[in-house]
Amino acid sequence: MEIYLDNSNIDLIKENISWCPITGVTTNPSIIAKENKVNLFEHLLEIKNILSNTKKLHVQVISEDYDSIVKEANKIQAILGNDIYIKIPATKDGIRAINFLSTHGFNITATAIYTTMQGVLSALSGAKYIAIYYNRIENNNGSANEIIYDLAKLPQIINNETKILAASFKNTNQVVSAFANGAQACTVSDEILKSFINNILVEKTIIDFKNDWEKIYGNKNILDF
Ligand code: E4P
């Protein structure tokens, strides 16, 4: 089971990896564009450095045609290293590029997946992850849960050759459903990550413990005994 942060802000990445057992960071062109025209590779190298060798970084190509996707993938890998995950939209050109790059040792995350068959083709083409756009599917009157459930039965997924990376979430329940239906990984915004633990019931429980304790022991803690 893996949780990713879907964000490219340096401060938020540092803060979240300090407390949360995230597997890594996912970005896309819209996420990078929010960082106000940063120098792309300087920024990505800084993220890579923060994540060190222990966490994964997924970076998306910008071009849409096969030749340019392959060239961009080569440049991304040459600068960011062999352990980078290159996100490629599962279009016709994208699937062709996923096939070619996967057979040449690149780690590929197929993205912009709205249908079961996009997922099937991406997995068959050798993608290591397939990013299913949960909330966008639901907004389009589809069932993200059914798509994830069906894809989770593919031999490639069962054998862990390809992982379902559910994405595009708008609330915690969607993340829980994605995992329950067979996603091995979910990528979430900073807000959703924090919502996993920012809960009024948890806060009240902590206050109740503190009040009960202080009635008897004042402000002593474990170290005072
Ligand atoms: C991640 O891989 C996706 O690019 C991302 O989760 C899309 O999220 P959005 O639908 O909120 O833009």
Side-chain angles (χ1 to χ4, degrees):
M1 191 145 62
E2 302 175 359
I3 300 252
Y4 283 86
L5 177 65
D6 204 19
N7 199 299
S8 66
N9 181 274
I10 300 291
D11 292 338
L12 286 179
I13 292 170
K14 281 184 183 163
E15 187 217 323
N16 283 306
I17 66 169
S18 73
W19 72 271
C20 189
I22 58 173
T23 298
V25 164
T26 54
T27 71
N28 65 32
S30 308
I31 287 173
I32 300 274
K34 282 188 190 146
E35 296 309 305
N36 261 340
K37 218 172 186 182
V38 286
N39 177 309
L40 180 65
F41 281 110
E42 271 177 24
H43 191 77
L44 292 172
L45 279 168
E46 191 174 353
I47 295 175
K48 187 97 191 332
N49 203 29
I50 295 165
L51 299 179
S52 72
N53 295 330
T54 56
K55 299 191 190 300
K56 297 174 182 171
L57 176 60
H58 297 237
V59 174
Q60 191 164 325
V61 295
I62 307 296
S63 293
E64 291 158 26
D65 67 280
Y66 169 79
D67 287 333
S68 307
I69 292 172
V70 170
K71 281 183 194 151
E72 287 192 1
N74 273 290
K75 180 160 184 179
I76 292 170
Q77 181 165 295
I79 296 177
L80 296 174
N82 290 349
D83 56 348
I84 202 76
Y85 284 75
I86 296 170
K87 287 176 74 183
I88 300 177
T91 59
K92 193 172 158 195
D93 279 39
I95 293 290
R96 186 177 162 208
I98 291 168
N99 232 311
F100 174 80
L101 291 164
S102 294
T103 54
H104 286 80
F106 287 70
N107 300 312
I108 304 297
T109 298
T111 194
I113 295 181
Y114 289 80
T115 68
T116 307
M117 287 316 294
Q118 270 182 298
V120 169
L121 292 176
S122 302
L124 287 175
S125 301
K128 294 261 170 70
Y129 287 87
I130 49 176
I132 316 295
Y133 277 20
Y134 196 105
N135 191 64
R136 296 193 197 201
I137 291 168
E138 297 284 309
N139 282 348
N140 199 35
N141 201 31
S143 169
N145 286 335
E146 275 178 27
I147 292 172
I148 292 170
Y149 183 83
D150 289 344
L151 287 169
K153 295 186 208 140
L154 289 180
Q156 276 92 334
I157 308 265
I158 291 167
N159 296 333
N160 251 2
E161 291 156 27
T162 303
K163 290 181 182 173
I164 297 173
L165 169 64
S168 175
F169 291 109
K170 289 298 162 276
N171 61 58
T172 305
N173 274 351
Q174 292 178 336
V175 181
V176 173
S177 297
F179 276 129
N181 280 285
Q184 290 101 333
C186 287
T187 185
V188 302
S189 66
D190 170 64
E191 294 77 27
I192 291 183
L193 199 61
K194 302 253 170 59
S195 77
F196 293 162
I197 40 123
N198 287 345
N199 179 313
I200 193 130
L201 292 174
V202 176
E203 283 162 28
K204 183 177 179 319
T205 302
I206 303 302
I207 290 169
D208 288 346
F209 283 144
K210 184 176 160 64
N211 289 341
D212 290 344
W213 173 265
E214 284 180 357
K215 273 184 225 151
I216 306 300
Y217 290 106
N219 60 4
K220 283 186 176 174
N221 69 22
I222 301 288
L223 301 179
D224 297 312
F225 290 87

